[in-house]
Amino acid sequence: MVLLQFNPNSPAPLNWQAFAQEFSSKFGVFDIVAGAKENLFNLQMYNNKQFTTFIVHFKKEAYKTSWNYTALWFALCHALPQCIKDVLCLTPKQPNYNGYKALITQINQWNSNW
């Protein structure tokens, strides 16, 4: 099996993003924590998805980072659909991260029943 083969049309030698993608596809993620952080920022919950399913994927990536609850709350808010963010603006502030997760679960169940 040949890991690397010369390809004159490959953008990898000239483009860092292409190189990192090709390197990761051949050898895996070279920095698990950085990969998890990137996955958290790229994670997106869509309107037709259940929060309980989404939070499992979110926690899987969050576990690999050493972020505190404030950073996780920021990443979670970034990933939520606008319809849930709109309702969160109208609700009282929750005392902690787990309170927000419970509230988002209720909002999502209410939205799916509507």
Side-chain angles (χ1 to χ4, degrees), residues 1 3-4 10 12 16-17 29 34 39 45 49-50 52 55 64-65 67 70 72 76 78 80 82 91 108:
M1 180 174 115
L3 289 177
L4 298 175
S10 174
W16 170 252
Q17 206 55 9
V29 178
N39 289 343
M45 180 182 163
K49 294 288 184 182
Q50 290 295 321
T52 51
I55 198 68
K64 297 173 189 172
T65 68
W67 287 356
T70 305
L72 290 175
L76 182 62
H78 176 74
L80 293 174
Q82 190 61 44
T91 60
N108 185 245

Side-chain angles (χ1 to χ4, degrees), residues 17 27 89:
Q17 206 55 9
F27 302 106
C89 290

Side-chain angles (χ1 to χ4, degrees), residues 50-94:
Q50 290 295 321
F51 180 71
T52 51
T53 305
F54 169 77
I55 198 68
V56 170
H57 299 292
F58 184 86
K59 284 183 176 183
K60 178 182 167 189
E61 296 299 328
Y63 179 75
K64 297 173 189 172
T65 68
S66 60
W67 287 356
N68 61 19
Y69 285 131
T70 305
L72 290 175
W73 169 238
F74 176 80
L76 182 62
C77 281
H78 176 74
L80 293 174
Q82 190 61 44
C83 61
I84 292 179
K85 290 179 189 177
D86 292 342
V87 177
L88 281 176
C89 290
L90 303 173
T91 60
K93 185 176 179 178
Q94 298 300 306

